[in-house]
Amino acid sequence: MQFLQKVRDFRELVMFEHSIFSMPFIFIAMITATQGWFGFKLLLFGVIASISARNFAMAFNRFVDRKFDGTNPRTKGRPSVDGRISPKAMLLFIVVNALIFIAMAYAINPLCFYLSFPILIILASYSLMKRFSSAAHLVLGLSLGLAPIAGVVAVSGEIPLWSVYLCIGVSFWVAGFDLLYALQDIEHDKKEGLYSVPSVFGVQKTLWISRIFHTLTLIFWALFVKEANFGLWMWIGFVVAVAALCFEQYLVSKHFRNIPRAFFTINGYLGIAFLGFCIVDLIDK
């Protein structure tokens, strides 16, 4: 029972269920690169690499942000703050997941291995960036935006133009909804001197910056669909993405209590839906 409780604590630490944000775009890239099924081996390695990279990033964030999380009413109940997980245990967890990610990259191909080190640096830099610059939201976006790049490199060993468009789109998508999520902590960030966009620019400007980011998301996703020569089904998926992001912006602008629904539910389903339309499009060819 104690072991199971510790597993639940670590799952809460890294918010494991949120892996759903980046994982669909890894597989979109892999499916697009191979124009079909890429094999069970790469599926297994891709899943393990994605989970270990995200575990590393989230645990590192929780470790270095313990001080700030302890003064924030929204986060003071996290396992990293209330003593359920010790700093030493977090450090061990961070190192183990970094090694797993590097090992998976090595097992896939040399380019993945070489890229694994700068990717880990980027994943870790988000947690430190917000102490110095409000560009932290874009760094977080890039952290997830690298997922499709990693996916296409895993199956083809190269970085085609369409994967760059997909990467940029995902980066702006994540940065856009992270801006909305950060609205919950605007007063805390001001008090602690953290450079989130809401604490620096205020609520209304943050809402508009988020809308601009999501507009850029849709532009680059449209370029991805066109460059990768998808058909009708993927364009329908694009229209679904437009509707989802518009609805997300509407919910948050209506009332901030809708932020969790907009952040978790809509964005989670969006990635899965985009992957689904990608699969159907390739089957229909």
Side-chain angles (χ1 to χ4, degrees), residues 188-199:
H188 173 264
D189 290 348
K190 287 180 179 179
K191 180 181 177 182
E192 296 292 342
L194 295 174
Y195 291 88
S196 67
V197 165
S199 69

Side-chain angles (χ1 to χ4, degrees), residues 184-247:
Q184 300 175 104
D185 299 329
I186 183 169
E187 296 304 325
H188 173 264
D189 290 348
K190 287 180 179 179
K191 180 181 177 182
E192 296 292 342
L194 295 174
Y195 291 88
S196 67
V197 165
S199 69
V200 174
F201 296 100
V203 172
Q204 290 305 315
K205 288 183 179 179
T206 297
L207 289 172
W208 277 108
I209 294 171
S210 176
R211 291 163 188 163
I212 292 170
F213 281 3
H214 280 168
T215 299
L216 291 170
T217 294
L218 296 172
I219 290 172
F220 281 101
W221 281 354
L223 289 171
F224 156 66
V225 175
K226 183 177 184 299
E227 180 67 24
N229 295 315
F230 278 106
L232 175 62
W233 285 108
M234 200 57 169
W235 283 111
I236 293 174
F238 173 76
V239 173
V240 170
V242 172
L245 292 181
C246 288
F247 186 51

